[in-house]
Amino acid sequence: MPKDIAQANITIDVVIFNIINYQLHILLVQRATPPYHGFQSLPWWFVKRDEQLQQTATKVLYRETGVFCDYIQSFGIFDEVHRDPRGRIISIGYYAILDDTTIILQSWATQDRASFVPMKMIGTLAFDHNSIVQKAYEQLQKDIQWSDIIKHFLPTYFTIDQLKKYCEIIYNRPFEKRNFTKFISKNFTIKKTAQKEQYVAHRPASLYRFV
Protein backbone atom coordinates (compact mmCIF):
# COMPACT_ATOMS: atom_id res chain seq x y z
CA MET A 1 0.00 0.00 0.00
CA PRO A 2 1.41 3.45 -0.90
CA LYS A 3 2.73 5.42 2.06
CA ASP A 4 0.47 8.40 1.38
CA ILE A 5 -2.77 6.36 1.65
CA ALA A 6 -4.72 7.71 4.65
CA GLN A 7 -5.06 5.48 7.69
CA ALA A 8 -8.07 7.16 9.24
CA ASN A 9 -10.55 6.53 12.01
CA ILE A 10 -14.21 7.46 11.69
CA THR A 11 -16.29 9.03 14.43
CA ILE A 12 -19.95 9.94 14.74
CA ASP A 13 -20.81 13.37 16.18
CA VAL A 14 -24.47 13.83 17.11
CA VAL A 15 -26.24 17.18 17.43
CA ILE A 16 -29.24 16.48 19.67
CA PHE A 17 -31.92 19.19 19.42
CA ASN A 18 -34.58 19.79 22.04
CA ILE A 19 -36.92 22.70 22.78
CA ILE A 20 -36.95 23.52 26.48
CA ASN A 21 -38.82 26.49 27.97
CA TYR A 22 -39.43 27.80 24.45
CA GLN A 23 -35.74 27.89 23.55
CA LEU A 24 -33.85 25.66 21.14
CA HIS A 25 -31.21 23.64 23.02
CA ILE A 26 -28.56 21.13 22.05
CA LEU A 27 -26.94 18.48 24.21
CA LEU A 28 -23.30 19.07 25.08
CA VAL A 29 -20.86 17.06 27.19
CA GLN A 30 -17.93 18.43 29.15
CA ARG A 31 -14.82 16.50 28.20
CA ALA A 32 -13.08 14.77 31.07
CA THR A 33 -9.98 13.70 29.11
CA PRO A 34 -7.53 15.26 26.62
CA PRO A 35 -7.59 16.63 24.03
CA TYR A 36 -9.66 19.69 24.92
CA HIS A 37 -9.97 18.61 28.54
CA GLY A 38 -12.67 20.72 30.22
CA PHE A 39 -14.18 21.96 26.95
CA GLN A 40 -17.73 21.20 25.97
CA SER A 41 -18.26 19.07 22.89
CA LEU A 42 -20.91 17.17 21.02
CA PRO A 43 -21.65 13.58 22.04
CA TRP A 44 -19.53 11.34 19.82
CA TRP A 45 -17.93 7.92 19.47
CA PHE A 46 -15.70 5.91 17.18
CA VAL A 47 -17.29 3.64 14.57
CA LYS A 48 -16.38 0.01 15.21
CA ARG A 49 -15.30 -2.29 12.41
CA ASP A 50 -18.53 -4.32 12.61
CA GLU A 51 -20.91 -1.36 12.96
CA GLN A 52 -22.90 0.62 10.45
CA LEU A 53 -22.85 4.40 10.88
CA GLN A 54 -26.50 4.59 11.92
CA GLN A 55 -25.89 2.00 14.64
CA THR A 56 -23.11 4.09 16.14
CA ALA A 57 -25.22 7.26 15.97
CA THR A 58 -28.12 5.54 17.72
CA LYS A 59 -25.76 4.18 20.36
CA VAL A 60 -24.32 7.63 21.04
CA LEU A 61 -27.82 9.05 21.47
CA TYR A 62 -28.91 6.29 23.84
CA ARG A 63 -25.68 6.44 25.81
CA GLU A 64 -26.21 10.11 26.61
CA THR A 65 -29.99 10.33 27.00
CA GLY A 66 -31.28 6.85 27.75
CA VAL A 67 -33.81 7.06 24.90
CA PHE A 68 -34.17 6.06 21.29
CA CYS A 69 -35.66 8.97 19.35
CA ASP A 70 -37.90 8.76 16.32
CA TYR A 71 -35.70 10.95 14.15
CA ILE A 72 -31.96 10.79 13.63
CA GLN A 73 -30.40 11.75 10.32
CA SER A 74 -26.94 12.20 8.81
CA PHE A 75 -26.19 15.64 7.38
CA GLY A 76 -22.51 16.00 6.58
CA ILE A 77 -18.93 14.77 6.49
CA PHE A 78 -16.20 16.68 8.32
CA ASP A 79 -12.75 15.76 7.05
CA GLU A 80 -10.45 18.71 7.68
CA VAL A 81 -7.01 17.09 7.87
CA HIS A 82 -6.00 18.62 11.20
CA ARG A 83 -9.43 18.74 12.85
CA ASP A 84 -8.34 16.36 15.62
CA PRO A 85 -4.89 16.46 17.28
CA ARG A 86 -5.03 12.70 17.89
CA GLY A 87 -4.56 11.94 14.21
CA ARG A 88 -6.50 11.52 10.97
CA ILE A 89 -10.10 11.29 12.15
CA ILE A 90 -13.06 11.82 9.86
CA SER A 91 -16.43 12.62 11.40
CA ILE A 92 -19.92 11.90 10.11
CA GLY A 93 -22.43 14.40 11.48
CA TYR A 94 -25.90 13.31 12.58
CA TYR A 95 -28.66 15.30 14.13
CA ALA A 96 -31.48 14.00 16.30
CA ILE A 97 -34.71 15.53 17.58
CA LEU A 98 -36.14 14.96 21.04
CA ASP A 99 -39.49 16.26 22.23
CA ASP A 100 -39.83 18.18 25.48
CA THR A 101 -40.47 15.18 27.70
CA THR A 102 -38.14 14.72 30.66
CA ILE A 103 -34.83 13.20 29.62
CA ILE A 104 -32.52 11.55 32.15
CA LEU A 105 -29.02 12.40 31.00
CA GLN A 106 -26.64 9.53 31.56
CA SER A 107 -23.18 9.96 30.03
CA TRP A 108 -22.39 6.66 31.70
CA ALA A 109 -19.82 5.47 29.19
CA THR A 110 -17.61 8.54 29.14
CA GLN A 111 -18.30 9.99 32.60
CA ASP A 112 -18.54 13.39 30.91
CA ARG A 113 -21.08 15.81 32.31
CA ALA A 114 -23.96 16.24 29.90
CA SER A 115 -26.43 19.11 29.78
CA PHE A 116 -28.80 20.81 27.36
CA VAL A 117 -27.50 24.26 26.47
CA PRO A 118 -29.48 27.01 24.68
CA MET A 119 -28.20 27.53 21.15
CA LYS A 120 -27.73 31.22 21.88
CA MET A 121 -25.40 30.46 24.81
CA ILE A 122 -23.01 28.01 23.16
CA GLY A 123 -19.39 29.05 23.56
CA THR A 124 -16.21 27.72 21.98
CA LEU A 125 -16.50 23.96 21.63
CA ALA A 126 -13.84 21.29 21.25
CA PHE A 127 -12.51 20.29 17.83
CA ASP A 128 -14.59 21.73 14.96
CA HIS A 129 -17.87 21.17 16.78
CA ASN A 130 -19.04 24.78 16.44
CA SER A 131 -19.02 24.31 12.67
CA ILE A 132 -20.84 20.99 12.98
CA VAL A 133 -23.54 22.55 15.16
CA GLN A 134 -24.03 25.40 12.71
CA LYS A 135 -24.35 23.06 9.74
CA ALA A 136 -26.80 20.85 11.65
CA TYR A 137 -28.91 23.88 12.53
CA GLU A 138 -28.99 25.05 8.92
CA GLN A 139 -29.94 21.55 7.79
CA LEU A 140 -32.73 21.36 10.38
CA GLN A 141 -34.21 24.60 9.04
CA LYS A 142 -34.02 23.32 5.45
CA ASP A 143 -35.51 19.92 6.28
CA ILE A 144 -38.54 21.42 8.03
CA GLN A 145 -39.51 23.07 4.74
CA TRP A 146 -39.87 19.81 2.83
CA SER A 147 -40.86 17.29 5.52
CA ASP A 148 -42.92 16.93 8.68
CA ILE A 149 -39.97 16.51 11.04
CA ILE A 150 -41.11 19.39 13.23
CA LYS A 151 -43.68 16.94 14.61
CA HIS A 152 -40.87 15.33 16.59
CA PHE A 153 -40.61 18.50 18.69
CA LEU A 154 -44.35 18.73 19.28
CA PRO A 155 -46.88 16.74 21.28
CA THR A 156 -49.17 14.50 19.22
CA TYR A 157 -51.99 17.04 19.46
CA PHE A 158 -51.17 20.74 19.25
CA THR A 159 -52.67 24.13 18.49
CA ILE A 160 -51.80 26.30 15.51
CA ASP A 161 -50.30 28.79 17.96
CA GLN A 162 -48.03 26.06 19.33
CA LEU A 163 -46.90 25.10 15.84
CA LYS A 164 -46.26 28.75 15.02
CA LYS A 165 -44.28 29.28 18.22
CA TYR A 166 -42.07 26.25 17.56
CA CYS A 167 -41.37 27.40 14.01
CA GLU A 168 -40.42 30.83 15.33
CA ILE A 169 -38.06 29.20 17.82
CA ILE A 170 -36.35 27.09 15.17
CA TYR A 171 -36.08 29.87 12.60
CA ASN A 172 -35.30 32.51 15.23
CA ARG A 173 -37.73 35.01 13.73
CA PRO A 174 -41.42 35.92 14.05
CA PHE A 175 -44.07 34.81 11.56
CA GLU A 176 -47.00 37.06 10.74
CA LYS A 177 -50.24 35.14 11.12
CA ARG A 178 -51.21 35.47 7.45
CA ASN A 179 -47.77 34.43 6.23
CA PHE A 180 -47.70 31.52 8.64
CA THR A 181 -50.97 30.19 7.24
CA LYS A 182 -49.30 30.10 3.82
CA PHE A 183 -46.21 28.48 5.35
CA ILE A 184 -48.37 25.72 6.85
CA SER A 185 -50.21 25.00 3.60
CA LYS A 186 -46.93 24.84 1.69
CA ASN A 187 -44.89 22.74 4.11
CA PHE A 188 -47.09 20.70 6.45
CA THR A 189 -49.95 18.22 6.18
CA ILE A 190 -51.98 18.61 9.34
CA LYS A 191 -55.57 17.77 10.25
CA LYS A 192 -57.98 19.49 12.61
CA THR A 193 -59.36 17.15 15.27
CA ALA A 194 -62.52 17.30 17.36
CA GLN A 195 -60.45 17.95 20.49
CA LYS A 196 -59.90 21.29 22.20
CA GLU A 197 -57.35 22.70 24.59
CA GLN A 198 -58.01 21.97 28.25
CA TYR A 199 -57.38 23.90 31.44
CA VAL A 200 -56.79 27.26 29.76
CA ALA A 201 -58.05 30.66 30.89
CA HIS A 202 -58.92 31.78 27.36
CA ARG A 203 -61.30 30.28 24.82
CA PRO A 204 -60.00 26.76 24.07
CA ALA A 205 -58.38 26.44 20.67
CA SER A 206 -58.81 23.46 18.38
CA LEU A 207 -56.14 20.76 18.41
CA TYR A 208 -54.46 19.51 15.27
CA ARG A 209 -52.26 16.56 14.40
CA PHE A 210 -49.96 15.60 11.56
CA VAL A 211 -51.47 13.27 8.98
Side-chain angles (χ1 to χ4, degrees), residues 31-180:
R31 291 183 55 80
T33 58
Y36 294 99
H37 178 266
F39 279 72
Q40 287 184 313
S41 74
L42 293 169
W44 67 278
W45 203 246
F46 288 102
V47 178
K48 294 183 177 179
R49 290 179 181 272
D50 59 349
E51 275 184 336
Q52 295 182 330
L53 301 178
Q54 187 85 10
Q55 287 178 295
T56 307
T58 301
K59 182 172 68 177
V60 170
L61 175 65
Y62 183 78
R63 186 190 70 197
E64 301 296 347
T65 67
V67 299
F68 294 104
C69 74
D70 292 331
Y71 190 85
I72 184 167
Q73 177 67 43
S74 63
F75 66 88
I77 298 172
F78 301 87
D79 60 353
E80 173 65 36
V81 174
H82 302 296
R83 62 179 299 274
D84 193 314
R86 293 170 294 186
R88 187 73 171 105
I89 297 178
I90 298 169
S91 176
I92 312 297
Y94 276 74
Y95 79 83
I97 299 173
L98 300 180
D99 63 20
D100 60 358
T101 54
T102 301
I103 303 297
I104 300 175
L105 300 180
Q106 299 189 110
S107 293
W108 59 268
T110 60
Q111 300 302 308
D112 295 343
R113 287 180 290 175
S115 60
F116 279 103
V117 178
M119 281 281 293
K120 296 178 181 178
M121 297 179 62
I122 295 172
T124 301
L125 304 179
F127 308 106
D128 54 354
H129 288 186
N130 287 91
S131 296
I132 296 175
V133 169
Q134 183 60 35
K135 186 167 183 179
Y137 179 49
E138 292 169 358
Q139 189 64 51
L140 172 67
Q141 293 176 322
K142 291 177 183 177
D143 290 348
I144 284 175
Q145 296 183 46
W146 64 266
S147 71
D148 61 1
I149 64 170
I150 196 171
K151 71 181 181 181
H152 299 294
F153 287 108
L154 289 158
T156 302
Y157 298 95
F158 53 87
T159 67
I160 293 297
D161 280 347
Q162 282 179 301
L163 179 59
K164 178 174 177 288
K165 182 64 177 176
Y166 275 48
C167 285
E168 289 175 338
I169 291 167
I170 292 167
Y171 286 98
N172 193 31
R173 67 177 178 88
F175 282 89
E176 293 183 0
K177 189 171 184 179
R178 182 177 60 181
N179 291 338
F180 188 66

Side-chain angles (χ1 to χ4, degrees), residues 187-202:
N187 296 290
F188 305 136
T189 305
I190 61 175
K191 181 179 180 180
K192 187 177 181 179
T193 72
Q195 300 184 51
K196 300 279 188 179
E197 283 184 296
Q198 294 183 341
Y199 314 114
V200 292
H202 52 80

